[in-house]
Amino acid sequence: PSLDYVVTKIPRWDLAKFTHVSRDIGSCMKSVGEVMAIGRTFEESLQKAIRSADPSFAGFAPLAGCAPADDAELERMLQNPTDQRLFYLAYAMLERGYSVERLHALTRIDRWFLHKLDNICAMHNALRRPHQTLQTLGRAQLETAKRLGFADAQIARLVSASEDDVRAARRQLGLRPFVKRIDTLAGEVPAPTNYLYTTYNAATDDVAFDERGTMVLGSGVYRIGSSVEFDWCGVSATRALRELGRKTVVVNYNPETVSTDFDECDRLYFDELSYERVRDIYELEGAAGVIVSVGGQLPQNIALRLHRNDVRVLGTSPESIDAAEDRHRFSQILDRIGVDQPAWKELVSSADAEAFADSVGYPVLVRPSYVLSGAAMNVAHDASALRAHLELAASVSPEHPVVVTKFIRGARELDIDAVAYQGQLIRHAVSEHVEDAGVHSGDASLILPPASLTPD
C-alpha cells in the first residue's frame, strides 16, 4: 500500500468543567469527544489536530495555564500523563530548553516523536528571534513554517504582525494549500473519492475546482454542552441542498459525526474550522456561499470576519449574529427596545467591575462573548471570585467584551428556540430549566413544554 498522508487523533477532555477532578489520564474513559487531522508530515498533522481540539490553542506551543512554578513541578507534569502534558512538553522545549534525550529519560516518549516536536520548536524559535519581522521573513522560511503546520495566526503572534498581514504576505508570495484526496483503497486500485484535506506539502491539487458548491460548516469537536444536535443540523442542511440540486462542500474534522461520512456530500474537507482554512477552501472552490448557522459556536465565531472579507455568508446576516453574540451589543438592544434585564456593565477594568458589583450587590454574573457552552460564564459571590472569573473570561474570549450583570437568586430560566423567515416567525418552542437560573442550558435539565408558566 502507498499511503502519503499522516492522521493524528486527539481526544477532547473537558476536565476543566469540574472542580476537584483528577486530570490524570489512564485506562478510565474521560474524554467527551475527539478530533482528527490529516497532513503529509507528522508536524503538520499534529499542529492541525491541536488547534482543532480547542480554538484557543495556537498549535504546539506553551499555554498560559501550563507554566510550572519550578523544575520539580515541570518534571512531575512531564512524567505523569494528563490532558495538559503536551503543553508542558512545549514549555519544557521552548521555554526551558530541554533536549530530546532529557525528555526521553523523563517521559519515555519515543525519540521519533520528540525529534518531530523539536522540528516545530526550531521553527518557533526562528520566527520569534529578535528583529524578526514579517518583512524580513523570506519565502523559503514562510513555506517551511506552513509545511510544519504553522497557522497564519500562529506565525503572526511570533513575528508581531496581524493574521491578515501574514495571509496577504503568503498570497503575494504564491503560497497556498493544495487539496489532496484520501486514498480509501491504500493505493491498490484507483480511488477517486471526494474525501479531501489541505496540505502545504504538495505541488498539485487532486481535484478540479469547477463545481461552485455551497459550503456547510460542521460542528467541530464534541464537548460538554455541544454535541450531536449540531451534526444533525449540518447533515439536514446538506441533504436539503442536494435535494435542491446544489453541489455541497462540507468542512468538519470530527470523526464521530455523520457529516464526515463522505457519502453525505459532494465534497468533504476533513480540515480545520478556522477562519484561515475556511477562507482558503472558499476561494479555491469558488463557492457559491457558506452556511455558518448549523454548526454551533465554532462557525458562528468566524462568521462576521468572513462576511467582512467578502465571503458570501448565507442565511442570517453575520452583523445580526454579532448583535446576539456580543454581550454588550445585545444588552444595549434590550435597553433600546424596553426589555427588562438585570443591571449590567461592560468590563473596562477589574477595579470598575468591583465597583459595579459593590453598587448592585453580590452575586454578579460574568458573561464573556462568543463562547461555547457557557465557557467562563460564572457567578461571583465576592471580589476575589470576581477577579478570578474576569481573568478566565478575558483569556477565553480575548477579542470580545465581557459584561458583568447582577445575578438574581432563585430566578427561573426559559429557553426560547425559534425559526424565522423574512421577519415572520415560522416555528418556535419554549422550554423551562429544572434548575434555578445560573446553570448553562447545555448542562441543565429542560422541560418541554414549560411546567410552571401560566398563559399570562
mmCIF file with all atom_site columns, all heavy atoms in Angstrom, residues 62-83:
data_model
loop_
_atom_site.group_PDB
_atom_site.id
_atom_site.type_symbol
_atom_site.label_atom_id
_atom_site.label_alt_id
_atom_site.label_comp_id
_atom_site.label_asym_id
_atom_site.label_entity_id
_atom_site.label_seq_id
_atom_site.pdbx_PDB_ins_code
_atom_site.Cartn_x
_atom_site.Cartn_y
_atom_site.Cartn_z
_atom_site.occupancy
_atom_site.B_iso_or_equiv
_atom_site.pdbx_formal_charge
_atom_site.auth_seq_id
_atom_site.auth_comp_id
_atom_site.auth_asym_id
_atom_site.auth_atom_id
_atom_site.pdbx_PDB_model_num
ATOM 1   N N   . PRO A 1 62 ? 3.437  26.607 24.343 1.00 0.00 ? 62 PRO A N   1
ATOM 2   C CA  . PRO A 1 62 ? 3.022  26.631 25.745 1.00 0.00 ? 62 PRO A CA  1
ATOM 3   C C   . PRO A 1 62 ? 1.676  27.333 25.916 1.00 0.00 ? 62 PRO A C   1
ATOM 4   O O   . PRO A 1 62 ? 1.319  28.244 25.165 1.00 0.00 ? 62 PRO A O   1
ATOM 5   C CB  . PRO A 1 62 ? 4.144  27.425 26.429 1.00 0.00 ? 62 PRO A CB  1
ATOM 6   C CG  . PRO A 1 62 ? 5.300  27.369 25.498 1.00 0.00 ? 62 PRO A CG  1
ATOM 7   C CD  . PRO A 1 62 ? 4.717  27.304 24.123 1.00 0.00 ? 62 PRO A CD  1
ATOM 8   N N   . LEU A 1 63 ? 0.937  26.893 26.937 1.00 0.00 ? 63 LEU A N   1
ATOM 9   C CA  . LEU A 1 63 ? -0.303 27.564 27.331 1.00 0.00 ? 63 LEU A CA  1
ATOM 10  C C   . LEU A 1 63 ? -0.049 28.378 28.579 1.00 0.00 ? 63 LEU A C   1
ATOM 11  O O   . LEU A 1 63 ? 0.780  28.007 29.428 1.00 0.00 ? 63 LEU A O   1
ATOM 12  C CB  . LEU A 1 63 ? -1.404 26.538 27.620 1.00 0.00 ? 63 LEU A CB  1
ATOM 13  C CG  . LEU A 1 63 ? -2.051 25.810 26.451 1.00 0.00 ? 63 LEU A CG  1
ATOM 14  C CD1 . LEU A 1 63 ? -3.166 24.916 26.972 1.00 0.00 ? 63 LEU A CD1 1
ATOM 15  C CD2 . LEU A 1 63 ? -2.593 26.784 25.425 1.00 0.00 ? 63 LEU A CD2 1
ATOM 16  N N   . ALA A 1 64 ? -0.806 29.459 28.724 1.00 0.00 ? 64 ALA A N   1
ATOM 17  C CA  . ALA A 1 64 ? -0.634 30.316 29.902 1.00 0.00 ? 64 ALA A CA  1
ATOM 18  C C   . ALA A 1 64 ? -0.875 29.541 31.194 1.00 0.00 ? 64 ALA A C   1
ATOM 19  O O   . ALA A 1 64 ? -0.229 29.777 32.213 1.00 0.00 ? 64 ALA A O   1
ATOM 20  C CB  . ALA A 1 64 ? -1.584 31.511 29.811 1.00 0.00 ? 64 ALA A CB  1
ATOM 21  N N   . GLY A 1 65 ? -1.804 28.597 31.161 1.00 0.00 ? 65 GLY A N   1
ATOM 22  C CA  . GLY A 1 65 ? -2.126 27.837 32.369 1.00 0.00 ? 65 GLY A CA  1
ATOM 23  C C   . GLY A 1 65 ? -1.202 26.661 32.627 1.00 0.00 ? 65 GLY A C   1
ATOM 24  O O   . GLY A 1 65 ? -1.419 25.904 33.579 1.00 0.00 ? 65 GLY A O   1
ATOM 25  N N   . CYS A 1 66 ? -0.204 26.480 31.794 1.00 0.00 ? 66 CYS A N   1
ATOM 26  C CA  . CYS A 1 66 ? 0.715  25.343 31.937 1.00 0.00 ? 66 CYS A CA  1
ATOM 27  C C   . CYS A 1 66 ? 2.141  25.829 32.131 1.00 0.00 ? 66 CYS A C   1
ATOM 28  O O   . CYS A 1 66 ? 3.080  25.351 31.482 1.00 0.00 ? 66 CYS A O   1
ATOM 29  C CB  . CYS A 1 66 ? 0.625  24.422 30.722 1.00 0.00 ? 66 CYS A CB  1
ATOM 30  S SG  . CYS A 1 66 ? -0.991 23.672 30.484 1.00 0.00 ? 66 CYS A SG  1
ATOM 31  N N   . ALA A 1 67 ? 2.319  26.801 33.029 1.00 0.00 ? 67 ALA A N   1
ATOM 32  C CA  . ALA A 1 67 ? 3.647  27.324 33.359 1.00 0.00 ? 67 ALA A CA  1
ATOM 33  C C   . ALA A 1 67 ? 3.981  26.909 34.790 1.00 0.00 ? 67 ALA A C   1
ATOM 34  O O   . ALA A 1 67 ? 3.440  27.473 35.742 1.00 0.00 ? 67 ALA A O   1
ATOM 35  C CB  . ALA A 1 67 ? 3.677  28.845 33.213 1.00 0.00 ? 67 ALA A CB  1
ATOM 36  N N   . PRO A 1 68 ? 4.842  25.907 34.968 1.00 0.00 ? 68 PRO A N   1
ATOM 37  C CA  . PRO A 1 68 ? 5.134  25.395 36.318 1.00 0.00 ? 68 PRO A CA  1
ATOM 38  C C   . PRO A 1 68 ? 5.927  26.395 37.144 1.00 0.00 ? 68 PRO A C   1
ATOM 39  O O   . PRO A 1 68 ? 6.638  27.252 36.611 1.00 0.00 ? 68 PRO A O   1
ATOM 40  C CB  . PRO A 1 68 ? 5.951  24.132 36.041 1.00 0.00 ? 68 PRO A CB  1
ATOM 41  C CG  . PRO A 1 68 ? 6.580  24.380 34.714 1.00 0.00 ? 68 PRO A CG  1
ATOM 42  C CD  . PRO A 1 68 ? 5.580  25.194 33.933 1.00 0.00 ? 68 PRO A CD  1
ATOM 43  N N   . ALA A 1 69 ? 5.806  26.246 38.450 1.00 0.00 ? 69 ALA A N   1
ATOM 44  C CA  . ALA A 1 69 ? 6.496  27.167 39.355 1.00 0.00 ? 69 ALA A CA  1
ATOM 45  C C   . ALA A 1 69 ? 7.992  26.880 39.414 1.00 0.00 ? 69 ALA A C   1
ATOM 46  O O   . ALA A 1 69 ? 8.795  27.795 39.631 1.00 0.00 ? 69 ALA A O   1
ATOM 47  C CB  . ALA A 1 69 ? 5.890  27.072 40.756 1.00 0.00 ? 69 ALA A CB  1
ATOM 48  N N   . ASP A 1 70 ? 8.388  25.616 39.245 1.00 0.00 ? 70 ASP A N   1
ATOM 49  C CA  . ASP A 1 70 ? 9.806  25.264 39.347 1.00 0.00 ? 70 ASP A CA  1
ATOM 50  C C   . ASP A 1 70 ? 10.064 23.981 38.550 1.00 0.00 ? 70 ASP A C   1
ATOM 51  O O   . ASP A 1 70 ? 9.141  23.376 37.993 1.00 0.00 ? 70 ASP A O   1
ATOM 52  C CB  . ASP A 1 70 ? 10.228 25.085 40.812 1.00 0.00 ? 70 ASP A CB  1
ATOM 53  C CG  . ASP A 1 70 ? 9.287  24.163 41.574 1.00 0.00 ? 70 ASP A CG  1
ATOM 54  O OD1 . ASP A 1 70 ? 8.847  23.137 40.991 1.00 0.00 ? 70 ASP A OD1 1
ATOM 55  O OD2 . ASP A 1 70 ? 8.973  24.447 42.752 1.00 0.00 ? 70 ASP A OD2 1
ATOM 56  N N   . ASP A 1 71 ? 11.341 23.568 38.521 1.00 0.00 ? 71 ASP A N   1
ATOM 57  C CA  . ASP A 1 71 ? 11.710 22.376 37.759 1.00 0.00 ? 71 ASP A CA  1
ATOM 58  C C   . ASP A 1 71 ? 11.046 21.122 38.296 1.00 0.00 ? 71 ASP A C   1
ATOM 59  O O   . ASP A 1 71 ? 10.699 20.209 37.534 1.00 0.00 ? 71 ASP A O   1
ATOM 60  C CB  . ASP A 1 71 ? 13.230 22.198 37.757 1.00 0.00 ? 71 ASP A CB  1
ATOM 61  C CG  . ASP A 1 71 ? 13.925 23.116 36.763 1.00 0.00 ? 71 ASP A CG  1
ATOM 62  O OD1 . ASP A 1 71 ? 13.211 23.726 35.937 1.00 0.00 ? 71 ASP A OD1 1
ATOM 63  O OD2 . ASP A 1 71 ? 15.160 23.240 36.816 1.00 0.00 ? 71 ASP A OD2 1
ATOM 64  N N   . ALA A 1 72 ? 10.890 21.064 39.616 1.00 0.00 ? 72 ALA A N   1
ATOM 65  C CA  . ALA A 1 72 ? 10.281 19.865 40.213 1.00 0.00 ? 72 ALA A CA  1
ATOM 66  C C   . ALA A 1 72 ? 8.848  19.688 39.724 1.00 0.00 ? 72 ALA A C   1
ATOM 67  O O   . ALA A 1 72 ? 8.432  18.575 39.367 1.00 0.00 ? 72 ALA A O   1
ATOM 68  C CB  . ALA A 1 72 ? 10.326 19.971 41.738 1.00 0.00 ? 72 ALA A CB  1
ATOM 69  N N   . GLU A 1 73 ? 8.104  20.786 39.681 1.00 0.00 ? 73 GLU A N   1
ATOM 70  C CA  . GLU A 1 73 ? 6.727  20.696 39.194 1.00 0.00 ? 73 GLU A CA  1
ATOM 71  C C   . GLU A 1 73 ? 6.697  20.361 37.708 1.00 0.00 ? 73 GLU A C   1
ATOM 72  O O   . GLU A 1 73 ? 5.881  19.543 37.256 1.00 0.00 ? 73 GLU A O   1
ATOM 73  C CB  . GLU A 1 73 ? 5.988  22.018 39.429 1.00 0.00 ? 73 GLU A CB  1
ATOM 74  C CG  . GLU A 1 73 ? 4.530  21.964 38.969 1.00 0.00 ? 73 GLU A CG  1
ATOM 75  C CD  . GLU A 1 73 ? 3.815  23.299 39.077 1.00 0.00 ? 73 GLU A CD  1
ATOM 76  O OE1 . GLU A 1 73 ? 4.380  24.245 39.675 1.00 0.00 ? 73 GLU A OE1 1
ATOM 77  O OE2 . GLU A 1 73 ? 2.690  23.407 38.547 1.00 0.00 ? 73 GLU A OE2 1
ATOM 78  N N   . LEU A 1 74 ? 7.606  20.955 36.931 1.00 0.00 ? 74 LEU A N   1
ATOM 79  C CA  . LEU A 1 74 ? 7.653  20.679 35.497 1.00 0.00 ? 74 LEU A CA  1
ATOM 80  C C   . LEU A 1 74 ? 7.935  19.201 35.248 1.00 0.00 ? 74 LEU A C   1
ATOM 81  O O   . LEU A 1 74 ? 7.258  18.560 34.427 1.00 0.00 ? 74 LEU A O   1
ATOM 82  C CB  . LEU A 1 74 ? 8.731  21.549 34.840 1.00 0.00 ? 74 LEU A CB  1
ATOM 83  C CG  . LEU A 1 74 ? 8.976  21.300 33.345 1.00 0.00 ? 74 LEU A CG  1
ATOM 84  C CD1 . LEU A 1 74 ? 7.701  21.481 32.536 1.00 0.00 ? 74 LEU A CD1 1
ATOM 85  C CD2 . LEU A 1 74 ? 10.081 22.217 32.828 1.00 0.00 ? 74 LEU A CD2 1
ATOM 86  N N   . GLU A 1 75 ? 8.914  18.647 35.941 1.00 0.00 ? 75 GLU A N   1
ATOM 87  C CA  . GLU A 1 75 ? 9.258  17.243 35.715 1.00 0.00 ? 75 GLU A CA  1
ATOM 88  C C   . GLU A 1 75 ? 8.126  16.323 36.162 1.00 0.00 ? 75 GLU A C   1
ATOM 89  O O   . GLU A 1 75 ? 7.887  15.281 35.546 1.00 0.00 ? 75 GLU A O   1
ATOM 90  C CB  . GLU A 1 75 ? 10.570 16.910 36.419 1.00 0.00 ? 75 GLU A CB  1
ATOM 91  C CG  . GLU A 1 75 ? 11.739 17.681 35.811 1.00 0.00 ? 75 GLU A CG  1
ATOM 92  C CD  . GLU A 1 75 ? 13.102 17.152 36.250 1.00 0.00 ? 75 GLU A CD  1
ATOM 93  O OE1 . GLU A 1 75 ? 13.133 16.180 37.038 1.00 0.00 ? 75 GLU A OE1 1
ATOM 94  O OE2 . GLU A 1 75 ? 14.115 17.714 35.795 1.00 0.00 ? 75 GLU A OE2 1
ATOM 95  N N   . ARG A 1 76 ? 7.415  16.693 37.217 1.00 0.00 ? 76 ARG A N   1
ATOM 96  C CA  . ARG A 1 76 ? 6.270  15.902 37.654 1.00 0.00 ? 76 ARG A CA  1
ATOM 97  C C   . ARG A 1 76 ? 5.174  15.906 36.589 1.00 0.00 ? 76 ARG A C   1
ATOM 98  O O   . ARG A 1 76 ? 4.575  14.866 36.290 1.00 0.00 ? 76 ARG A O   1
ATOM 99  C CB  . ARG A 1 76 ? 5.728  16.450 38.974 1.00 0.00 ? 76 ARG A CB  1
ATOM 100 C CG  . ARG A 1 76 ? 4.609  15.599 39.573 1.00 0.00 ? 76 ARG A CG  1
ATOM 101 C CD  . ARG A 1 76 ? 4.247  16.058 40.972 1.00 0.00 ? 76 ARG A CD  1
ATOM 102 N NE  . ARG A 1 76 ? 3.662  17.401 40.997 1.00 0.00 ? 76 ARG A NE  1
ATOM 103 C CZ  . ARG A 1 76 ? 4.282  18.483 41.438 1.00 0.00 ? 76 ARG A CZ  1
ATOM 104 N NH1 . ARG A 1 76 ? 5.527  18.412 41.870 1.00 0.00 ? 76 ARG A NH1 1
ATOM 105 N NH2 . ARG A 1 76 ? 3.678  19.657 41.421 1.00 0.00 ? 76 ARG A NH2 1
ATOM 106 N N   . MET A 1 77 ? 4.924  17.060 35.980 1.00 0.00 ? 77 MET A N   1
ATOM 107 C CA  . MET A 1 77 ? 3.892  17.160 34.937 1.00 0.00 ? 77 MET A CA  1
ATOM 108 C C   . MET A 1 77 ? 4.315  16.453 33.659 1.00 0.00 ? 77 MET A C   1
ATOM 109 O O   . MET A 1 77 ? 3.471  15.983 32.891 1.00 0.00 ? 77 MET A O   1
ATOM 110 C CB  . MET A 1 77 ? 3.574  18.630 34.643 1.00 0.00 ? 77 MET A CB  1
ATOM 111 C CG  . MET A 1 77 ? 3.013  19.406 35.831 1.00 0.00 ? 77 MET A CG  1
ATOM 112 S SD  . MET A 1 77 ? 1.584  18.625 36.590 1.00 0.00 ? 77 MET A SD  1
ATOM 113 C CE  . MET A 1 77 ? 0.377  18.742 35.285 1.00 0.00 ? 77 MET A CE  1
ATOM 114 N N   . LEU A 1 78 ? 5.632  16.368 33.410 1.00 0.00 ? 78 LEU A N   1
ATOM 115 C CA  . LEU A 1 78 ? 6.117  15.652 32.238 1.00 0.00 ? 78 LEU A CA  1
ATOM 116 C C   . LEU A 1 78 ? 6.039  14.141 32.433 1.00 0.00 ? 78 LEU A C   1
ATOM 117 O O   . LEU A 1 78 ? 5.748  13.390 31.498 1.00 0.00 ? 78 LEU A O   1
ATOM 118 C CB  . LEU A 1 78 ? 7.557  16.057 31.931 1.00 0.00 ? 78 LEU A CB  1
ATOM 119 C CG  . LEU A 1 78 ? 7.779  17.484 31.420 1.00 0.00 ? 78 LEU A CG  1
ATOM 120 C CD1 . LEU A 1 78 ? 9.265  17.808 31.378 1.00 0.00 ? 78 LEU A CD1 1
ATOM 121 C CD2 . LEU A 1 78 ? 7.157  17.668 30.042 1.00 0.00 ? 78 LEU A CD2 1
ATOM 122 N N   . GLN A 1 79 ? 6.298  13.698 33.650 1.00 0.00 ? 79 GLN A N   1
ATOM 123 C CA  . GLN A 1 79 ? 6.339  12.263 33.916 1.00 0.00 ? 79 GLN A CA  1
ATOM 124 C C   . GLN A 1 79 ? 4.950  11.638 33.993 1.00 0.00 ? 79 GLN A C   1
ATOM 125 O O   . GLN A 1 79 ? 4.785  10.457 33.674 1.00 0.00 ? 79 GLN A O   1
ATOM 126 C CB  . GLN A 1 79 ? 7.096  12.008 35.222 1.00 0.00 ? 79 GLN A CB  1
ATOM 127 C CG  . GLN A 1 79 ? 8.597  12.269 35.110 1.00 0.00 ? 79 GLN A CG  1
ATOM 128 C CD  . GLN A 1 79 ? 9.291  12.238 36.451 1.00 0.00 ? 79 GLN A CD  1
ATOM 129 O OE1 . GLN A 1 79 ? 8.695  12.547 37.486 1.00 0.00 ? 79 GLN A OE1 1
ATOM 130 N NE2 . GLN A 1 79 ? 10.573 11.884 36.462 1.00 0.00 ? 79 GLN A NE2 1
ATOM 131 N N   . ASN A 1 80 ? 3.960  12.405 34.412 1.00 0.00 ? 80 ASN A N   1
ATOM 132 C CA  . ASN A 1 80 ? 2.619  11.865 34.621 1.00 0.00 ? 80 ASN A CA  1
ATOM 133 C C   . ASN A 1 80 ? 1.680  12.293 33.496 1.00 0.00 ? 80 ASN A C   1
ATOM 134 O O   . ASN A 1 80 ? 1.482  13.491 33.279 1.00 0.00 ? 80 ASN A O   1
ATOM 135 C CB  . ASN A 1 80 ? 2.056  12.349 35.961 1.00 0.00 ? 80 ASN A CB  1
ATOM 136 C CG  . ASN A 1 80 ? 2.902  11.881 37.126 1.00 0.00 ? 80 ASN A CG  1
ATOM 137 O OD1 . ASN A 1 80 ? 3.199  10.702 37.239 1.00 0.00 ? 80 ASN A OD1 1
ATOM 138 N ND2 . ASN A 1 80 ? 3.299  12.809 37.988 1.00 0.00 ? 80 ASN A ND2 1
ATOM 139 N N   . PRO A 1 81 ? 1.084  11.342 32.781 1.00 0.00 ? 81 PRO A N   1
ATOM 140 C CA  . PRO A 1 81 ? 0.169  11.704 31.680 1.00 0.00 ? 81 PRO A CA  1
ATOM 141 C C   . PRO A 1 81 ? -1.075 12.432 32.191 1.00 0.00 ? 81 PRO A C   1
ATOM 142 O O   . PRO A 1 81 ? -1.788 11.921 33.056 1.00 0.00 ? 81 PRO A O   1
ATOM 143 C CB  . PRO A 1 81 ? -0.207 10.350 31.072 1.00 0.00 ? 81 PRO A CB  1
ATOM 144 C CG  . PRO A 1 81 ? 0.868  9.403  31.511 1.00 0.00 ? 81 PRO A CG  1
ATOM 145 C CD  . PRO A 1 81 ? 1.317  9.894  32.860 1.00 0.00 ? 81 PRO A CD  1
ATOM 146 N N   . THR A 1 82 ? -1.308 13.616 31.679 1.00 0.00 ? 82 THR A N   1
ATOM 147 C CA  . THR A 1 82 ? -2.531 14.384 31.950 1.00 0.00 ? 82 THR A CA  1
ATOM 148 C C   . THR A 1 82 ? -3.007 14.969 30.627 1.00 0.00 ? 82 THR A C   1
ATOM 149 O O   . THR A 1 82 ? -2.333 14.859 29.603 1.00 0.00 ? 82 THR A O   1
ATOM 150 C CB  . THR A 1 82 ? -2.285 15.541 32.944 1.00 0.00 ? 82 THR A CB  1
ATOM 151 O OG1 . THR A 1 82 ? -1.477 16.545 32.295 1.00 0.00 ? 82 THR A OG1 1
ATOM 152 C CG2 . THR A 1 82 ? -1.585 15.064 34.206 1.00 0.00 ? 82 THR A CG2 1
ATOM 153 N N   . ASP A 1 83 ? -4.164 15.614 30.673 1.00 0.00 ? 83 ASP A N   1
ATOM 154 C CA  . ASP A 1 83 ? -4.688 16.245 29.464 1.00 0.00 ? 83 ASP A CA  1
ATOM 155 C C   . ASP A 1 83 ? -3.851 17.448 29.044 1.00 0.00 ? 83 ASP A C   1
ATOM 156 O O   . ASP A 1 83 ? -4.011 17.968 27.933 1.00 0.00 ? 83 ASP A O   1
ATOM 157 C CB  . ASP A 1 83 ? -6.144 16.655 29.669 1.00 0.00 ? 83 ASP A CB  1
ATOM 158 C CG  . ASP A 1 83 ? -6.309 17.682 30.780 1.00 0.00 ? 83 ASP A CG  1
ATOM 159 O OD1 . ASP A 1 83 ? -5.681 17.497 31.848 1.00 0.00 ? 83 ASP A OD1 1
ATOM 160 O OD2 . ASP A 1 83 ? -7.066 18.647 30.602 1.00 0.00 ? 83 ASP A OD2 1
#
